[in-house]
Every structure is written in C-alpha cells, then in structure tokens.
Amino acid sequence: MPMIPFPFDYYRPATLQEAVALFGELDAGGKRPLYYNGGTEILTLGRMREVHTEAVIDVKRIPECRMLGRHAGMFVWGASLTLSEVHDAGLFPLLGKTGAGVADRTSRNKITLGGNICSQFIYKEAVLPLLVTDSLVRIVGPTGDRVAPIGQLFDQTLRLGGGDLLVQAMTATGYAELPYVTIKRRKSSAIDYPLVTIAAIRTQEGMRFAFSGLCAFPFRSLEMEDILNNRELPIAQRIQLASAALPGPILNDIKGSALYRKHVWSVAMTEAMEALEKGASIGR
Amino acid sequence: MAPGESGGSALAEIGRSVPKKESFYKVTGTARYTGDRTEARYLHASLKISPHAHARILGIDVARARALPGVRAIVTGADCDVLTGEEIRDRPIVARDRVRYHGEVVAVVVADTETQARQAVDLIEVRYEPLPVVQSPTEAMRPGAPILHERLGEYEKGPGVVPVPGTNIASIIYVRLGDMTQGWALSETIVENAISFKPSDHAAMETRSAIAEILPDGRIHVVSSTQAPFAVKMYMAKYFGTEAGQVEVEAPLVGGAYGGKAAIQLELIAYLASRAAGGRPVKAMYTRLQDMITAPCHIGLEAIVRLGSTKEGKIVAAHLTYRFDGGAYDDKSSDVARAAAGDCTGPYAFEHLHCECLTVYTNHPYASAFRGYGHAELTFAIERAIDALAEELQIDPWTLRMINIARPGDLAPTRDLLNESNLGDLPACMERMKALAGWDDWKVRQVDDFRIRAKGISCFWKNSSIDPNASSGAIVSFNVDGSMNLDTGVVELGTGTRTVLAQILAERMRMRTERIHVRSVVDTAISPEHWKTVASRGVFMAGRAVLHAADDAIRQLKAIAACVLRADPEDLELGDEEVFVRGDPHVRIEVKKICYGYMFPNGNTIGGQIIGRGAYTQRRMNPMNPFTGEGTPGPEWNVGAHSVEVELDTRDCTYRIVKAISVNDAGRVMNRMGALGQIKGAMSMGLSFANRETFLFDNEARVQNPTLRDYSIFRYGENPEYVVEFVERPCLDGPYGARALGEHGLIGMPAALASALSRASGVRLNRLPLFPERIWRARMGYADDSVSL
Amino acid sequence: MKEARCQLELRINGDTRLANAYPTDLLLDVLRDSFGLTGAKPGCRNGDCGACTVWVDGQPMKSCLLLAAECPGLEVTTIEGLKGGEMQRAFVEQFAFQCGYCTPGFIMNAEALSRLQPPPDEDTIRDWLQSNICRCTSYEEIRLAVREVIQRRSEGKLAEEAERLVEDGSGGMKGELNG
C-alpha cells in the first residue's frame, strides 16, 4: 500500500537561493509546493489527505540549514538538524531534552527542528525553549534574508510569508547556564503527545514559561509569567491565578479532559516552580 | 503416568530451552510472512470502509473509480449475498444496504498496483443515511433501542446458540447450580460489584493479509495470515458451495495473532476480489487502521457480580450477569461468552449459582477470539467482587480466595467433576505467589509524601473449550541420514509450538531435537489437520498426535530391525538413532540404515520408507446446554495465581507498575525459556490492556484512536519486573503431563492491577483501562465520562 | 493522477542498486517491492511501530518515514545486510522474539545502539528501544539480549571477532543453532 494517495514531484536544491526560487516557480505553476525537511509530517498527514502538495522541496542538505555551533555569543541551530542531533550535541539541554520528548528516538532521527516548529500538529514542543529564551529566527524568502525575534513571529504558529523558509534559530549561549525545567506529562504511554509540556528557565529577572498541550497551540504568556513570578503569593495560589489567564481554552480530547489536563499542569507547575525557585533544574 | 512417559529414564529433550526452529530466519529478515509474498502476476485489492458506525447505504457510485487505469474490478455488496459467521450467519462479506460499524467494508477495488487500487478507492462515492447508534450492551437492551439485526430469527445458526429475535441479544446462555433461594438464605453478607470495559484491539504487529486465486480447474488457493487454515478451508467451501478438497489454504509464519487471526474475514474478501477479476491472484493487506477497526477486535463486557457469603468467608451464593459487547456481528462472540459462562465462577466452587451470560449486538467493531477467550474478562468481574467481599468481611483477600477455591471432588459450573488431573493445583500456586509477593509483609505502604505502594492479587482458571470433535494429526518421516521430518497442522504464531512438538517427537524417539526438521508453513493440501491453532491446544492435541505418530514410526522401525537383527520386535529398544536389543545392546543397527527399508549386501531390500502417522481427539467432550450450562466443553482447568505491585503518585494518579508475579501450574514445562516467554509476554499483554488499551468512541460510535500512535501499547521499559514460576502437577491427558500455558499469564493481570491500584488509591476501581485520569476522577468523585476514557 | 517514475541510484547493503520509483514511494516500499528486501515490515506505515527500521548512513530510521527519493547518496542498510551476528545471536539465545515480525526493526535499532561510544546507559537504551513495539515478548528478553551485547562490546572482547565476521561476510550465523 503506497503511503501517499496523490502524486508529487521531489526537488532537492543545493542552496537557499535555489530553494526559494524553486518555491516561487512551483507556486506560480499551481503546484502548492512545500518545503520538506524531515518530511515525517508531510508523509503521515499526506497519507490521510490532511496535507496536499504537488511538489516537495527537500532543503535538508542546504549547508545553512544544517549549521550547528556557536557564533558571536549565540548558538546557531540549523532548521534541518534532527531533534536527535540537537539533543546529542548537548549544547543546550533545555532545547535538547524538550525536543527529545517528541515522538521516539528513531523518529527523531528524521524529525527536524524546523519541521517540528513549523508543524501542522498543535504541539510543536521544540519551539518552547526558543520562546523562553527570546531566540532569533533566520528566515529566507522571496523578500530576502532576515532575522527576527521568535516572539515577533510566533503566534500559535510560526507566521511565515508564502515561500518563506525557516533556516536557523539562534539562542544566546548564556541561557545554557541558567536553571531550567523541561517536563512532559502524557496520558499513560512513554511515547505520546503531551497532556502538557512545560519548558521553563530562570533568569535574573525571573522565571519564564512556555507550554504545549495545555491549549490548542504552544505559547508563552507574559501575563501569566507576571503572576507566576509574584513571590508574595504561595506557589499554589500563583498557579491558580495563572490558570485564569490562559490564552485559550484548555484542550479536551482523547488524551485527557480539560479538567484533568489542568490538574496535571498544576501538579507539574508546582514541581517546576519549586525547583526553579531553589535554582535547581529538572530534565527528562 | 502421563502420555509419552515411559517411566524411570530422565527426560532429555522435554524441558530443554530449545530455540524456536525458525529463529535464524526471524533474526535475519528471511522469515516470510503472508504480506512478504510479492509476485508480478498479483493484482492488488484495496478496501473502501464505512466512516459511519450505523447507516443505510443509499447508493454506491463506482463509475469514476472503474474508469481509472489499472482497475480490474470493483466488488460491492451487490456481488455476493452470502452471509457468513461461525456461530450465527449474520455478516455479509461486503456490506449490503447497511453498515453496522465504523470500518465495515463497503467496496473492494482490484487493480494492477496498490497505488491504483488505493486511488480508485478514493473515487468511490457512497451515499449514507446515518442511523442512531448503540454503544453498549446496556444501551442495546433498553426498550426502543435501534435493532441491528431485524432478521436475527432467520439467520442460520450453530447448535447451542440462542438468539432472542426482535432484540439485540445475539445469544444467551444460563448456568445454574443448586438453589438460589437457599443460597441467599444462607448468606450473611452480600456484596454486589459492577465492572465494565469497552472493546479493544489485538494489535498484532503483522496486519492481516491474504492472497486468493481461483485456478483454472476451479480450485481456490488461499495464502493467509491465519491461525485457522483448516477452518478457512472448511468455511470457504461451505460459503461458496465448493467441494472441501477444492480449497487449499497455506498459512506461512504469522506475525502475532492472539486469537485475532482465527477469525475468517479477509480471505473471503480476497476470494470475492479474485472471482471478480477472473480468478487472477489478488493480494489484500489490511492497513493498520483497517486491521484495528475493520477486522475483529477484543470483546467488551459489562458485568454485575453478586456474592453471598457466610461471615467466615464461605461463598454460598453467586448471581452473575455477563453482558458481552460483541459488536456489530457475532463471529465468535457468542462462543467467547459460552466459554466465559462455562468457567463463570472463576476458580471457585459456589454451591448455589445463577449465571446469565449474554452476547449483545452494538455498533462497535465486532469481536472475535482474544487471548484468554473470555477468561480475563470474567476473571476481572469475579476477582473484583471477591476483593469487595474481602473488604466487606474484613478477611484477607488471599485467605478468602483460599477458602473458596475449587478442589478435587467439587463440581465445575458445567457440573463436571473435578479431579487432580483435570484441575491444576491452584492452592500450590497461591502459596508460592504469596511467598514471592511478600503478601504477609505488607499490602500498602507510604513511600514518601506523595507516593504509595500497594499490592494486588488474583487467581484464575481456564478450560480450553473447543469443538467437541476437533482433531489434530501428525505425520513423521525420515531423511536418509536418520534425521526426521515433522509435519502438523499447527500454525507457528510465535509461540514456539512447532518446536515443542519437535521436542516431543525427539523425546519419544530418544534423539536430539536438533535432528528434527519442522516446516514453518502449513498447507491444508499436505499437512495433517489441526482444527485451529487456538485455545492453547497446540501442544496438548498435536502433541498427543505426535506421540501416536512416533509410536507408529517406532513400530515400523522395530519391524525391520527385527528381521535384520533376528530378534523379536518386543526385545528391541530405540535410542540415539539406533535400534538395539534391550538385553544385548551391542546387537544393534542405525536408524539411517533401516528408515528407508534395509538393503542386504546382495541388494535385496525389505521394507520401504517409514512414515508415521498419528491423530488425536479430545475424549468425551460435549457442548454445554444453553439453559443449564451442563456439558463438558473442555478437558482440563488450568490455573494460576498473580500478583501486581504498583507505586501510585497521589498527586496526579500516575503510577508505575513495579512488579508482576505469575505462578502457573504448567503440568510439565516443555521448553523452559519458551514457557517463561509465553507467560511473561501474556502478562505484558494483560497489563497493557488493563493499563491503557481501549477503543475510544465518539458519540456516533466512531473509533477515535485507530492508530498505534493513539492506541498505545506497552513499550520497552514500561514493563515491570516479571517474576514467573511454575508448579508442575501433570495433567494425565497432556503429553508428558503438559498443561495449557499460552494464554494463562494474561488472565488475572487486569484484576490484579485493579486490585493493587484500588488499594493504593483507596477507591474501588472497576472500569478498564486504568488510566491515571480515571483513578483521579474516582478519587475526586468526578463522573467517569470523559472523551479520554 | 499521472505520475512519472524516476530512476534512483541507491546504495543498499553496500551495493549500488537502481530503482524505478515514483517520487512519492517510501523507502520501505522500494526495499520490499523493488528489491525483495522484506525484512523491513510495514507494521503501521505511520512511524509508530518501528518494524520497518533500517539504517540510513548508520542511523536507525523508520523506512516508512523516508521517501526513496531522499536516499540517493546515502548508505541504506537493511537487516539483510547486517554484518556481525552478535545481536542476532543474542536475540536467539535470550528468546527475545516470538512471532518475529518486529524483530528485524528491533535488531537494526539495537545493533546501532550497541555500537555507540561510550556504551549507552540504561536511560539511553530505553530511549532508543522505545522506538519499536513488540507485542509478543515482555521486553525483558530484549533487554537481556541488548545488554549482553553492549556489555560484551564495551569489554572489547568481541572487537576482534566482529572484524573477522565483517570480513568473511557470514555474519557468524553458520551452524549456530545446533548444540
């Protein structure tokens, strides 16, 4: 049984410029092209006809997309790095470990950082560490090559223009020294989508949090952070107040009811905040 | 002495951990399963399935699909009016006029390639008129509930099947002992406990596959991932009016079955597809989604158990109501229910008993056999009630069980008299389990501020009910080097049965198992019949047949050797591939010199190639009376005792299964590591089922989690520590005393897990699976009615 | 619906092979249908079960999550091309499979895992092996097999033997079952 019930063409440009130009041509030709990194989502959703395209543009051998390292005080994460590569590099445990909560190891050998962030699924857990660290993203597209804070572009999803390609993310290296928490709670299986995933970090100014699974999109909420950093109140009360400031309704689906999700989030938040306030970290 | 034993000499081959004969194929990727067969001449079938759980089919438009290049045929319900089913013939092969479950097949496309078939399926347009759905036995029995099978009374049905036309009751069976009025009068304490769980899946890693072809002389050739090639042969002949000998079925290695591949479904579809394509070979493989919802699943159950007891803990009255959720078609559901009814009390002797056991139609995927065949289900109902009674009586749950366990001299619910051979030694299993679990040391323990450890226990019995005339055969032959070939009709599902059968042959022939060659494919045209590779009957029945075949071969060897050695056959012995004179062992001849006859130095030859044959049928079986339960549906009750230890985090009710213990009466352990693997694998499956496995239905009875992503099963490292031990009290009918083993690690696991978690959480948990959210809701007093449960 | 096949030059088990495939074809299907390498099994085609695991440039990956078109220039290794039989032998000796359907995928994953340096700890072993589903065993048997190989490898005892096996290409599988 073929997995994909519709035909598409496969392209593998060698450079960013080629990729963007190709996208433009194919788009103009009505091919509804998609950039293809790990491709796992295009394949699985395509099988269910939840994604349609007539052309995929495989970008994962473009050197800029494969970059991994430090540059000018920043970690540079090529969008085509697999989640396994990001994890195994060990440069930034919050990102590595949060990404390592996605799917399973051999899937993560294929799933890329960029693919996860630009996913159609609602979880996109790899974006959480980028949100709490005010990371930068480099986008190449028909309007050129630009760098922007992720907070400006990420609102439920990464807001890209037509033909825009996420090339890299960049995180100030100093964040790797800070206490952090990454917690993922699932319904029952070791491999599953989250009931809730929390990525958090404690800076000089206070704690920062980003969540996935709680609402129908990943988010970081400054309003909630203000409440959660109000040390005049006990942790339990801060969590209670913060839950009233969620940016959307709590998910209620086959993984968990909204009632239980909220409870699980509260328990995990208690654990996270107690650790961070002590300056301790929690990894997977 | 048990069959096979000759007394005195120690067994060399029985008990030895011989790796499965097909081991090196399986670790190198060379093992071939049905779907691995690829031939250029094959056409490919793809299925259009119903998105509705209950709907009238208003019309099917195949024109666009038919016009696609490569499409050879399209089959719809209009092409075949045969109704199928082993108990009740209630199921069309392809839906006609109406669909009754989400995933039901409405059309089949046959095309040159899989891609073409799949693309054509997408172009078939089916117009439906949705109908109200029935989601549970309780709903199905409510007055005014939609009736799934209006023509229930007209369906052809097997003996002992008692449908109630005009209702959704597919079959009903009663079991009665003693006098309930008297029983309740004797009861000083009465408890009632209700349990339930929805249908779930087998989730074998190999999805079901079948290849069918109609040969020029009308013969039907089928290759299938089936546990029951001989049943496929029999039923296909019956359904399609062919002579039995005209159907040939091959069963290659099967990639996991657990009962789910005993059902006959895809073979019939592949046959219709081949017929529509002029008899050309058509290959059909279920996708994972179809394997989960289109193919038969694991049965659901709602049960109410009421127990009456003296204050000392002697249970004197039991009223049992079992309502199995058989789904949209009966298949084997009513037989699963019958098996559950036969052993309805669990391993206890209740003097006064009334059991009403129903199989109910719902708009769920239909159920078939699942490892344990109704026993994990009834055991969950009984054992949860026993725990509730223990709590009520303030008696230790282990002690309460020991007080009531059935012993030799007691009657089974079927009124069979129990004895030391037909009943395994459960008290011995219970004693050993108690020691291994440290049951007397502690049962609940606070670990830290949030974590509580607790233990739970259960025990069970299972009789292997099969058709009373089911038979099994074996053929043995020799190679010129004196090594042997063994053929039986037992399909190799991964249980290692064919290897154990080789061990039985080797033991009897007093040679090494490594010198026995076993085919890994069953072909009904060649292999002797084995009814079905189900019910943990492979070793028992085929093992007896192998012993007969070995004896037949030995007799022939001795006859030739007697001539050559000029000795009375009765004075001859066989050992180490030689026949020798018992009282003068240096007078001997090698088996390889006589197994193809013996050639004298001058060329004269006597005898010919030796072929041994054997067959076995279980003794004095007869079906249960559906109004009293009386009968002898199976030969022996095999038993075991389980324990599970958990650590519950009381904050979010997540938990870790720390340890699981199983002590089983194996009768005789035939292959130690194989037996441990069977028990541990079954425990794992039982725990996974109890911990997380269920279909999740929406309000329209559509399955919400038909992928292995959303229907999760245990993964590496989620398993607890397993502790497995055996008691060995031989069954005098089993080869070398062996008892059934393949299902028995599973049966008590759900009950033991629920017992431990109830103890840890302080609330009685009676619904499966035991999702942390379910436990949390029970503790908080919230309703158990979320989309996630 | 029209779709053009393309010629792909693939490196499979050390050989260069040509496949006439559609751009939408999965590596899994090309391995099975074009080359008869049916050791990789289509357990779910959704990246959930791991039965189709192969190596791509030495990394275990699910061949249902790869297009064949992605693979030119990469070394694909399937269970049929696995050299060195220690993991396979350990699976046999520990009874680490029953039906065997998940086994090739498990072994490909476990074998890659066992070659990690430094040797993987329990957490890493669990993390990797949770990529595959086995429905028959209790996983304890698999754990024992994998740990045994990892331990032997970390002790270096098999270093020489492994090299020899790779050279003679037998995978050390000859006549191991007897005795």
Side-chain angles (χ1 to χ4, degrees):
Chain A
M1 181 71 58
M3 186 124 92
I4 313 296
F6 51 84
F8 58 65
D9 294 321
Y10 172 87
Y11 299 90
R12 190 201 288 165
T15 66
L16 289 173
Q17 292 66 30
E18 274 177 49
V20 171
L22 193 55
F23 191 102
E25 282 167 36
L26 292 165
D27 196 35
K31 299 284 191 183
R32 300 159 72 184
L34 290 173
Y35 290 120
Y36 183 102
N37 247 319
T40 57
E41 194 168 302
I42 295 174
L43 299 184
T44 50
L45 290 181
R47 192 175 64 87
M48 294 179 279
R49 290 188 173 278
E50 287 171 25
V51 158
H52 186 86
T53 179
E54 287 169 36
V56 299
I57 303 170
D58 188 346
V59 295
K60 67 176 164 292
R61 296 199 200 177
I62 297 174
E64 288 89 337
C65 296
R66 294 281 310 152
M67 187 123 36
L68 171 66
R70 289 184 174 86
H71 179 72
M74 305 285 269
F75 294 120
V76 181
W77 318 109
S80 295
L81 294 174
T82 66
L83 294 180
S84 292
E85 287 170 328
V86 173
H87 173 265
D88 295 352
L91 293 175
F92 183 31
L94 177 60
L95 180 61
K97 290 176 178 175
T98 306
V102 173
D104 59 53
R105 171 75 195 195
T106 59
S107 296
R108 293 193 301 273
N109 288 348
K110 191 84 198 314
I111 298 170
T112 59
L113 181 65
N116 184 259
I117 292 170
C118 300
S119 164
Q120 283 199 19
F121 288 108
I122 61 175
Y123 306 107
K124 311 177 184 59
E125 288 149 280
V127 82
L128 306 182
L130 303 181
L131 291 173
V132 295
T133 54
D134 289 331
S135 293
L136 305 174
V137 286
R138 178 180 167 196
I139 312 287
V140 172
T143 58
D145 194 337
R146 65 189 197 279
V147 172
I150 191 161
Q152 275 181 17
L153 288 181
F154 195 88
D155 177 14
Q156 304 199 358
T157 62
L158 193 63
R159 305 288 169 168
L160 297 176
D164 276 353
L165 171 66
L166 172 64
V167 179
Q168 289 159 353
M170 286 158 279
T171 309
T173 54
Y175 284 107
E177 311 305 321
L178 300 176
Y180 70 92
V181 166
T182 173
I183 294 177
K184 177 167 181 171
R185 295 277 186 259
R186 303 170 178 86
K187 181 179 190 179
S188 58
S189 175
I191 306 298
D192 204 346
Y193 296 118
L195 282 176
V196 56
T197 299
I198 301 171
I201 204 153
R202 183 179 158 189
T203 67
Q204 297 273 306
E205 294 78 43
M207 299 177 285
R208 304 179 186 175
F209 299 89
F211 308 107
S212 169
L214 191 56
C215 300
F217 49 86
F219 65 91
R220 175 183 171 194
S221 158
L222 298 180
E223 188 189 348
M224 286 171 71
E225 279 177 15
D226 281 345
I227 300 168
L228 293 167
N229 280 300
N230 179 1
R231 300 190 70 157
E232 286 167 17
L233 297 177
I235 284 176
Q237 197 179 342
R238 282 184 261 164
I239 293 170
Q240 182 59 34
L241 288 171
S243 71
L246 288 169
I250 299 178
L251 268 184
N252 184 62
D253 63 15
I254 58 168
K255 303 297 179 188
S257 67
L259 195 64
Y260 185 61
R261 263 200 161 86
K262 184 178 167 189
H263 176 71
V264 167
W265 175 76
S266 304
V267 172
M269 280 298 286
T270 308
E271 204 179 319
M273 290 173 67
E274 284 174 0
L276 289 177
E277 295 203 338
K278 281 186 292 195
S281 292
I282 300 177
R284 217 165 66 94
Chain B
M1 271 190 308
E5 286 182 301
S6 50
S9 62
L11 300 175
E13 297 301 307
I14 298 299
R16 194 157 72 86
S17 297
V18 180
K20 280 181 279 294
K21 285 287 186 181
E22 69 283 4
S23 287
F24 277 71
Y25 301 139
K26 287 183 172 175
V27 296
T28 54
T30 41
R32 306 273 288 175
Y33 302 82
T34 299
D36 294 337
R37 297 198 186 194
T38 322
E39 288 186 34
R41 66 195 189 98
Y42 286 172
L43 298 175
H44 299 268
S46 186
L47 311 179
K48 178 85 173 176
I49 60 173
S50 169
H52 300 286
H54 200 188
R56 210 176 307 286
I57 299 173
L58 301 177
I60 303 182
D61 183 355
V62 300
R64 283 177 65 214
R66 192 69 189 79
L68 215 59
V71 172
R72 301 292 158 192
I74 295 177
V75 178
T76 66
D79 296 308
C80 181
D81 60 2
V82 170
L83 289 175
T84 69
E86 295 189 33
E87 299 286 309
I88 302 176
R89 292 184 62 171
D90 58 3
R91 189 173 59 84
I93 298 168
V94 178
R96 293 166 64 85
D97 312 328
R98 176 136 161 229
V99 289
R100 295 181 175 86
Y101 71 100
H102 175 206
E104 185 163 0
V105 179
V106 292
V108 185
V109 174
V110 187
D112 291 346
T113 70
E114 291 176 275
T115 311
Q116 291 164 336
R118 169 83 183 262
Q119 289 174 346
V121 160
D122 285 335
L123 296 180
I124 295 177
E125 283 162 35
V126 186
R127 285 182 303 117
Y128 297 96
E129 177 196 338
L131 298 168
V133 297
V134 169
Q135 286 263 34
S136 69
T138 302
E139 267 182 47
M141 292 172 66
R142 264 185 209 136
I147 300 299
L148 267 73
H149 294 271
E150 292 84 355
R151 296 175 52 208
L152 179 56
E154 298 164 38
Y155 291 147
E156 188 183 320
K157 62 183 175 58
V161 181
V162 184
V164 184
T167 74
N168 285 314
I169 298 171
S171 187
I172 189 163
I173 183 165
Y174 292 98
V175 181
R176 306 171 208 264
L177 282 180
D179 171 2
M180 288 310 292
T181 316
Q182 207 184 325
W184 295 128
L186 291 168
S187 301
E188 292 165 297
T189 299
I190 295 173
V191 297
E192 184 173 289
N193 196 68
I195 63 97
S196 69
F197 46 88
K198 291 179 240 180
S200 52
D201 195 39
H202 302 85
M205 285 298 99
E206 175 204 27
T207 61
R208 295 156 173 97
S209 318
I211 304 161
E213 176 176 11
I214 304 166
L215 299 165
D217 59 358
R219 300 174 81 79
I220 302 169
H221 188 262
V222 176
V223 185
S224 175
S225 58
T226 177
Q227 295 176 256
F230 294 94
V232 172
K233 170 181 166 177
M234 181 180 85
Y235 281 104
M236 286 190 70
K238 184 170 164 179
Y239 295 150
F240 303 119
T242 315
E243 283 174 41
Q246 289 278 84
V247 185
E248 299 173 355
V249 183
E250 264 185 82
L253 291 172
V254 170
Y258 326 111
K261 288 172 180 166
I264 301 166
Q265 185 193 42
L266 191 54
E267 297 89 350
L268 307 177
I269 292 170
Y271 167 76
L272 291 187
S274 173
R275 194 174 73 178
R280 292 180 61 186
V282 176
K283 179 175 171 181
M285 267 180 102
Y286 277 143
T287 62
R288 176 55 63 184
L289 171 122
Q290 291 161 353
D291 198 70
M292 293 188 85
I293 65 171
T294 301
C297 66
H298 175 197
I299 207 161
L301 175 66
E302 295 176 348
I304 301 169
V305 172
R306 201 184 322 145
L307 300 177
S309 162
T310 65
K311 38 179 206 301
E312 291 77 30
K314 181 69 191 164
I315 300 168
V316 287
H319 187 280
L320 316 175
T321 309
Y322 295 149
R323 292 173 178 178
F324 283 95
D325 180 347
Y329 299 100
D330 188 66
D331 198 71
K332 291 301 276 187
S333 295
S334 54
D335 196 54
V336 170
R338 187 186 298 127
D343 291 343
C344 62
T345 53
Y348 307 105
F350 301 148
E351 201 179 337
H352 305 287
L353 167 70
H354 177 97
C355 172
E356 180 188 86
C357 186
L358 306 178
T359 312
V360 183
Y361 287 123
T362 67
N363 291 111
H364 287 160
Y366 69 93
S368 188
F370 178 83
R371 201 174 194 173
Y373 212 63
H375 287 71
E377 297 77 4
L378 83 89
T379 300
F380 186 68
I382 288 289
E383 291 295 283
R384 295 307 299 132
I386 296 271
D387 263 18
L389 179 63
E391 214 174 288
E392 203 70 31
L393 292 170
Q394 303 273 302
I395 293 179
D396 179 285
W398 184 89
T399 307
L400 180 62
R401 286 173 169 85
M402 288 298 276
I403 292 170
N404 291 288
I405 283 172
R407 318 257 169 168
D410 285 331
L411 286 183
T414 51
R415 305 186 198 187
D416 282 298
L417 183 62
L418 301 168
N419 64 41
E420 281 170 1
S421 171
N422 71 13
L423 178 64
D425 190 345
L426 184 54
C429 296
M430 287 287 284
E431 291 287 355
R432 191 65 196 134
M433 177 273 281
K434 183 168 84 157
L436 290 168
W439 180 251
D440 288 340
D441 302 340
W442 58 270
K443 292 164 193 68
V444 189
R445 190 156 61 90
Q446 191 83 32
V447 178
D448 58 24
D449 287 353
F450 309 115
R451 273 171 277 265
I452 296 176
R453 281 208 182 194
K455 296 169 189 167
I457 57 171
S458 68
C459 59
F460 66 87
W461 69 2
K462 180 180 188 292
N463 199 335
S464 290
S465 53
I466 61 173
D467 286 6
N469 63 347
S471 97
S472 185
I475 296 172
V476 301
S477 60
F478 290 86
N479 301 300
V480 290
D481 63 356
S483 65
M484 294 186 74
N485 309 304
L486 168 63
D487 197 11
T488 66
V490 176
V491 180
E492 187 48 69
L493 313 170
T495 55
T497 305
R498 289 169 80 88
T499 302
V500 171
L501 294 173
Q503 288 177 267
I504 290 171
L505 178 60
E507 182 69 47
R508 189 62 162 180
M509 301 300 294
R510 298 177 70 181
M511 60 197 286
R512 296 284 286 174
T513 304
E514 286 72 9
R515 295 275 291 160
I516 311 279
H517 301 278
V518 180
R519 292 175 75 231
S520 51
V521 179
V522 171
D523 182 339
T524 61
I526 303 167
S527 307
E529 178 156 336
H530 178 75
W531 176 66
K532 291 179 179 179
T533 307
V534 296
S536 305
R537 291 289 81 180
V539 168
F540 190 100
M541 292 186 56
R544 288 293 300 271
V546 167
L547 287 175
H548 283 298
D551 288 345
D552 188 28
I554 291 169
R555 189 183 47 71
Q556 296 175 59
L557 285 172
K558 284 182 179 173
I560 299 174
C563 293
V564 180
L565 300 177
R566 283 164 288 178
D568 191 307
E570 286 183 10
D571 291 339
L572 298 178
E573 287 283 335
L574 177 68
D576 295 329
E577 300 186 28
E578 291 182 338
V579 179
F580 57 89
V581 174
R582 190 179 301 113
D584 193 2
H586 79 272
V587 180
R588 63 186 191 225
I589 186 159
E590 291 167 283
V591 165
K592 71 180 179 190
K593 291 191 175 146
I594 54 176
C595 63
Y596 273 74
Y598 177 76
M599 187 167 77
F600 288 94
N602 70 353
N604 294 170
T605 300
I606 56 167
Q609 62 170 300
I610 291 176
I611 299 169
R613 56 117 185 86
Y616 181 72
T617 302
Q618 294 184 149
R619 167 172 36 80
R620 296 172 68 91
M621 297 293 106
N622 60 68
M624 286 166 68
N625 177 322
F627 304 101
T628 64
E630 189 171 1
T632 305
E636 92 280 16
W637 285 260
N638 296 311
V639 298
H642 293 334
S643 169
V644 170
E645 182 180 327
V646 297
E647 184 175 289
L648 179 81
D649 185 323
T650 52
R651 291 172 297 182
D652 52 14
C653 296
T654 51
Y655 59 92
R656 192 163 65 86
I657 307 172
V658 180
K659 189 195 280 189
I661 298 168
S662 180
V663 182
N664 292 68
D665 187 348
R668 166 89 70 175
V669 174
M670 305 298 277
N671 179 317
R672 180 152 295 275
M673 285 180 70
L676 288 172
Q678 282 301 299
I679 295 288
K680 288 200 276 185
M683 291 166 77
S684 178
M685 188 172 260
L687 287 173
S688 182
F689 162 63
N691 166 262
R692 62 181 64 173
E693 293 185 33
T694 183
F695 284 141
L696 296 167
F697 297 97
D698 69 4
N699 290 334
E700 276 80 51
R702 290 175 301 215
V703 179
Q704 298 298 290
N705 57 338
T707 64
L708 292 176
R709 193 170 297 186
D710 290 328
Y711 183 100
S712 75
I713 61 188
F714 267 12
R715 297 203 179 227
Y716 180 96
E718 296 191 271
N719 54 294
E721 176 195 352
Y722 291 103
V723 178
V724 178
E725 286 198 10
F726 296 108
V727 165
E728 294 184 83
R729 300 279 186 279
C731 169
L732 298 181
D733 286 317
Y736 296 98
R739 295 179 182 275
L741 210 62
E743 304 163 276
H744 301 67
L746 186 153
I747 296 172
M749 278 294 135
L753 180 64
S755 173
L757 285 168
S758 297
R759 206 158 276 127
S761 65
V763 284
R764 284 183 194 172
L765 300 168
N766 287 312
R767 297 178 80 172
L768 298 175
L770 293 153
F771 289 125
E773 177 171 1
R774 171 160 274 147
I775 302 171
W776 179 75
R777 282 175 172 268
R779 291 193 84 202
M780 300 298 290
Y782 295 136
D784 187 302
D785 67 351
S786 154
V787 288
S788 56
L789 301 175
Chain C
M1 287 291 169
K2 261 202 288 180
E3 192 178 8
R5 286 182 193 257
C6 51
Q7 180 106 320
L8 299 175
E9 188 179 304
L10 302 174
R11 292 281 301 163
I12 297 175
N13 297 333
D15 295 329
T16 300
R17 306 286 299 264
L18 294 178
N20 197 16
Y22 294 107
T24 49
D25 280 343
L26 301 175
L27 176 62
L28 170 64
D29 292 316
V30 170
L31 290 174
R32 290 175 60 84
D33 298 341
S34 300
F35 304 124
L37 297 169
T38 55
K41 304 298 185 194
C44 69
R45 292 173 188 279
N46 199 43
D48 300 330
C49 79
C52 66
T53 304
V54 301
W55 293 350
V56 178
D57 277 356
Q59 285 290 319
M61 286 193 199
K62 295 170 171 125
S63 58
C64 75
L65 292 182
L66 276 142
L67 295 171
E70 291 178 70
C71 296
L74 305 174
E75 284 289 335
V76 175
T77 310
T78 70
I79 186 87
E80 290 90 345
L82 190 61
K83 301 288 193 287
E86 302 100 301
M87 188 62 74
Q88 286 148 307
R89 248 193 333 265
F91 266 62
V92 173
E93 285 163 5
Q94 295 294 346
F95 283 54
F97 55 87
Q98 291 178 23
C99 82
Y101 203 77
C102 73
T103 311
F106 244 114
I107 287 178
M108 292 310 285
N109 192 8
E111 176 69 27
L113 171 71
S114 72
R115 293 179 182 193
L116 288 185
Q117 286 304 332
D121 57 17
E122 281 287 342
D123 283 349
T124 307
I125 295 172
R126 186 175 60 244
D127 187 41
W128 280 52
L129 295 187
Q130 283 186 340
S131 307
N132 300 63
I133 297 174
C134 171
R135 187 58 156 166
C136 294
T137 73
S138 73
Y139 293 111
E140 266 190 1
E141 303 87 343
I142 293 172
R143 178 170 171 270
L144 288 173
V146 174
R147 278 174 51 99
E148 181 185 297
V149 173
I150 289 171
Q151 199 176 334
R152 288 208 310 247
R153 288 224 169 115
S154 70
E155 288 163 5
K157 283 183 187 163
L158 282 178
E160 266 186 45
E161 195 197 335
E163 247 167 62
R164 183 180 58 75
L165 292 170
V166 169
E167 274 162 26
D168 79 12
S170 75
M173 303 296 292
K174 288 171 188 163
E176 289 295 331
L177 195 55
N178 291 343

